[in-house]
Amino acid sequence: MSKPSSNKQNFLYGASILLIANLLVKVIGAFFKIPLQHIVGDEVMGYYNAAYQIYALFFMISTAGLPVAVSKMIAQSEARGRAKEVERIFRIAKRVFFSLGLFLTLLMLLFARQIANWSGSADRYMVIMTIAPSVFFISLVSAYRGYYQGQQDMVPTSVSQVIEALTKLILGLIVGYIGMKAGLSAPAVASLIIGAVTLSVIFSFVYLVLRTNNYRRKHPLTHRCGDTNCESPNALIKKLIYIAIPITISASILNLTSVIDSMFVVKCLKSLGEPYTESVATSMYGAYTTMSVTIFNMPTTLIYPISISILPMISAALAVGKNREIVEAKNRAFRMVSIIVFPAAFGVGVLAKPILKLLFSNNQIKGTDIYPVDIAGPSLSILAISIVFVGFISITGAMLQAHGYEKKSIISNGLGVLAKFIFELILLNIPSIGIYGAPISTTICYFVMLACNLFFLAKYTSYLPYIKETLMKPFVSSVLCGLTALAVYKLTSSLIGFRISTVFSIIIAGIVYVLVLFAIKGISKEDILQFPKGDKIFVLLQKVRLVK
C-alpha cells in the first residue's frame, strides 16, 4: 500500500493530516447539528442524541480495540521488515471485523425494544433499529483504517472521515426537513436522520474498498506469507485478540459516561416533579447534549489524530529499540496537546454562553420559562475543564497501549466511570443542582482517569512529561488568551452586539495566544519542521518575525 515513506515515523506529519481532516469533519458536523437543531427542535434532538449514544457504545465495542491492535501489529511488522506478515494481518483483521460487526448489529436489532425501555423511553426503539446496520459497516471501515494507520499513511482514514461527514450533512438535513414538513412524530423524524448516519458509513466503506482495490490492481501482490518471518494465522489471531480485548473494554467503559447521561438524566429530572415532565426533561437533555456536549467535543477530537499517529510510531520504535526517539516523541506529543487543549478550555470556559447563543437557536422550552442556553451555557463552562483532562487521557492511553499496558487503561477508565455514576446519581437528585450534575460528574470522571493514567505511565514506563517544557508555556499563553477573550467581550458586547463581539473576542484572543506562545518559545523550530511543508512554514514565520 502507498504511504508517505519520507515521513515514516514522523508522527506529527500523520497527525497533521488527520488534524486537518478532523477540523473539516468538525466544521461539517457543526453545519449539520446547528441547522438541524433549528429545523427539528430539541425534542427530536433528544431522541436522536439518546439513540446515538447507545449506538456509540456498540460502535466502541466493535471499533475501539481491534483497529488499534491492527495498527500496532502492522507497525511492528513493518519496522521488522516483514512485508508478508503485514498482508496476512490485514486479511485476518477483515474476517474478524466482519464477524464482530455482524454479531453486534444483530444484537442491536433483536434487543432494540429492551434497550429503549432501559433508557427510559420506549419510543427510542425505532431510532435504535435504524442505526444498527451502521455498526456492521463501521467495523469493516475500521479494519481498513487500522491497516493504513499501521503503515503511518493517514490519508485514507482522513478522506473516509470527510466523506462520512459530508454524506451525513447533506442527507441528514434533507430528511430532517422533509420529516418535519410531513408532520411526523419526533421518534420518526429522529429515525430518518439516523438513517442518513447509516448511509454515510456505507459510503465511507465503499470509498476504502475502491481505493484498496484500485491500488492492488496497479500493484498486484506477487508473494504470500509462508516463510519463517511470518507468524501463523492462529498466532496472529491470538495476538490481535490479546491486544484488542483490553483496549475494547477500556474504550467501552469510557463511552459509558455518555450512556450514563442517556440512562439517568431524563429519569432523575422527572423524579424531581414539576416542571420536569418527560417532554421538558427530554428537551433539557437535548439542549445539554446538542449544545454543550457538541461544543465540548470539538476541541477534544483534535487530540485524537496525535494519539492515533503516536501509537504506531512508538510501537515501531520499541520493536527496534529506538528508546531516545520514543522519549522525544512523547515530549513533543504532550507539548502539541497542551498547545491545543489549554487555550480551548480557557476560551470555551469564559465565552460559553455567547458561543452557544451565536451558534444555536434559543427558543423557550415549552412549559417553562427556561431557555436552552440557560442550561447549556453553565454546563459548557463546567465541561471546559474536562477538555484538558480528555486531551491528556487520549495520549497517555495511547502511550500505555504502545508499551503493551493496555489493561491498565481498564482500571483508569473503570474508576473514572464509577466516580461518574456515583456523583451523577447524587447530584442529579439535588433540586438546586439538577441537570448540572451531568457535567460536574463528567469532569470528576475524567480527572480520575487522567490521574490513574499518569500514575501507570510513570510506574511502568518510567516517563512523565516535563512540566516546564511541555505544559507550562502553553498554559501561561492560554491564561492570557482566556483573559483577553473575556475582557474584549465585556468591553464590546454592548457596543457592537453579542454576535460580532463573540467572533471579535475569539479572533483577538487567538492572536494574543499565538503571539505570546511564540514570544516565550512555547513551540520549537524542531516542532515546526515536523509538520507537512514544515520548512516553508518556518521560513514564513521568520518573515513575520514570530521565530528567529
Side-chain angles (χ1 to χ4, degrees):
M1 290 297 174
S2 65
K3 50 188 176 291
S5 57
S6 62
N7 293 286
K8 197 171 178 66
Q9 297 194 13
N10 175 0
F11 82 91
L12 280 184
Y13 186 97
S16 300
I17 294 172
L18 283 175
L19 179 60
I20 293 168
N22 273 16
L23 284 171
L24 286 172
V25 168
K26 286 292 107 182
V27 171
I28 294 168
F31 278 105
F32 172 63
K33 272 201 170 184
I34 294 169
L36 185 64
Q37 190 249 3
H38 284 268
I39 293 170
V40 303
D42 289 322
E43 187 174 1
V44 171
M45 293 305 297
Y47 281 105
Y48 171 86
N49 289 325
Y52 196 89
Q53 295 303 336
I54 294 167
Y55 152 76
L57 176 61
F58 286 83
F59 169 86
M60 285 292 180
I61 293 172
S62 62
T63 66
L66 285 168
V68 174
V70 171
S71 173
K72 180 178 177 178
M73 290 171 63
I74 286 177
Q76 291 172 335
S77 297
E78 281 274 316
R80 295 181 179 124
R82 299 180 180 180
K84 302 182 207 177
E85 189 170 82
V86 169
E87 296 301 322
R88 174 168 282 180
I89 293 170
F90 183 42
R91 291 199 303 274
I92 290 170
K94 286 190 289 185
R95 295 168 191 164
V96 172
F97 277 77
F98 179 92
S99 301
L100 180 62
L102 182 61
F103 171 75
L104 291 175
T105 292
L106 292 174
L107 199 65
M108 285 187 73
L109 290 172
L110 292 173
F111 294 97
R113 287 188 181 272
Q114 290 87 333
I115 295 170
N117 290 333
W118 292 338
S119 68
S121 178
D123 290 338
R124 291 177 183 173
Y125 86 93
M126 184 192 308
V127 195
I128 295 170
M129 291 189 70
T130 307
I131 204 170
S134 295
V135 178
F136 172 72
F137 286 103
I138 201 65
S139 296
L140 295 175
V141 165
S142 297
Y144 285 85
R145 288 177 179 173
Y147 174 59
Y148 284 110
Q149 289 163 15
Q151 298 188 72
Q152 299 180 55
D153 181 1
M154 305 301 169
V155 173
T157 294
S158 301
V159 174
S160 67
Q161 287 175 341
V162 173
I163 290 173
E164 189 176 326
L166 279 173
T167 305
K168 183 171 69 173
L169 166 69
I170 297 169
L171 295 181
L173 292 179
I174 291 173
V175 297
Y177 178 79
I178 293 173
M180 293 301 291
K181 281 293 184 182
L184 300 179
S185 66
V189 176
S191 296
L192 288 174
I193 300 167
I194 285 290
V197 175
T198 300
L199 286 174
S200 71
V201 177
I202 294 174
F203 279 30
S204 177
F205 169 66
V206 170
Y207 157 75
L208 288 169
V209 171
L210 292 176
R211 187 187 194 281
T212 304
N213 291 343
N214 181 60
Y215 180 85
R216 283 186 165 164
R217 278 195 299 269
K218 295 178 179 178
H219 305 83
L221 295 173
T222 57
H223 56 262
R224 296 290 179 183
C225 296
D227 66 311
T228 56
N229 288 327
C230 187
E231 292 188 46
S232 68
N234 287 339
L236 291 173
I237 290 173
K238 288 178 181 178
K239 188 175 181 180
L240 185 70
I241 294 172
Y242 182 81
I243 298 172
I245 287 178
I247 298 174
T248 300
I249 294 172
S250 174
S252 299
I253 292 171
L254 179 61
N255 191 60
L256 287 175
T257 56
S258 53
V259 173
I260 288 171
D261 286 340
S262 170
M263 300 290 281
F264 293 110
V265 169
V266 173
K267 192 176 295 184
C268 289
L269 290 179
K270 284 165 58 180
S271 70
L272 295 176
E274 291 293 334
Y276 299 110
T277 62
E278 178 163 353
S279 177
V280 170
T282 300
S283 293
M284 292 179 73
Y285 172 74
Y288 169 66
T289 53
T290 303
M291 295 182 177
S292 306
V293 176
T294 297
I295 300 300
F296 161 72
N297 284 332
M298 291 182 75
T300 58
T301 53
L302 299 180
I303 305 304
Y304 299 144
I306 300 176
S307 303
I308 291 170
S309 297
I310 198 170
L311 189 146
M313 183 271 157
I314 293 178
S315 299
L318 282 170
V320 292
K322 295 182 178 180
N323 296 324
R324 184 177 177 181
E325 287 187 10
I326 294 171
V327 173
E328 289 175 354
K330 287 177 179 178
N331 289 337
R332 187 164 284 121
F334 266 99
R335 186 159 56 252
M336 291 301 106
V337 171
S338 299
I339 287 171
I340 295 172
V341 297
F342 282 131
F346 281 101
V348 169
V350 300
L351 293 179
K353 273 194 174 183
I355 290 172
L356 293 176
K357 288 173 68 178
L358 176 70
L359 297 176
F360 296 93
S361 67
N362 195 29
N363 299 321
Q364 189 173 354
I365 295 175
K366 293 179 182 179
T368 73
D369 58 355
I370 301 172
Y371 290 85
V373 169
D374 295 333
I375 299 297
S379 298
L380 181 56
S381 292
I382 296 167
L383 285 176
I385 303 169
S386 295
I387 292 173
V388 175
F389 299 153
V390 172
F392 290 125
I393 288 168
S394 177
I395 59 165
T396 53
M399 291 173 187
L400 288 170
Q401 291 162 10
H403 279 277
Y405 296 109
E406 299 92 352
K407 295 178 182 177
K408 301 305 175 184
S409 292
I410 298 177
I411 300 173
S412 300
N413 293 358
L415 291 174
V417 168
L418 179 61
K420 163 78 175 175
F421 177 77
I422 293 171
F423 280 96
E424 177 142 312
L425 287 183
I426 294 171
L427 297 174
L428 284 175
N429 287 289
I430 299 174
S432 60
I433 297 178
I435 195 168
Y436 300 119
I440 292 171
S441 59
T442 296
T443 301
I444 294 170
C445 163
Y446 289 138
F447 171 78
V448 171
M449 289 180 184
L450 177 57
C452 292
N453 272 7
L454 288 172
F455 170 78
F456 291 133
L457 198 64
K459 181 177 180 179
Y460 295 103
T461 72
S462 300
Y463 173 83
L464 277 178
Y466 299 110
I467 293 176
K468 182 180 178 181
E469 294 298 323
T470 60
L471 306 179
M472 189 56 65
K473 291 179 181 179
F475 178 80
V476 171
S477 304
S478 300
V479 171
L480 294 174
C481 167
L483 291 175
T484 300
L486 183 60
V488 172
Y489 181 78
K490 292 289 186 183
L491 291 171
T492 61
S493 58
S494 60
L495 299 175
I496 58 178
F498 87 90
R499 287 184 174 84
I500 297 175
S501 178
T502 301
V503 176
F504 184 63
S505 300
I506 293 171
I507 293 172
I508 297 300
I511 293 171
V512 168
Y513 175 70
V514 171
L515 291 176
V516 173
L517 185 67
F518 278 106
I520 63 177
K521 298 180 180 179
I523 186 168
S524 67
K525 177 181 178 180
E526 290 73 22
D527 291 333
I528 296 168
L529 294 176
Q530 292 282 315
F531 292 100
K533 307 296 182 182
D535 52 345
K536 295 181 179 179
I537 294 172
F538 185 77
V539 170
L540 177 62
L541 292 173
Q542 280 184 316
K543 289 181 179 179
V544 297
R545 299 183 180 180
L546 284 177
V547 297
K548 294 180 180 180

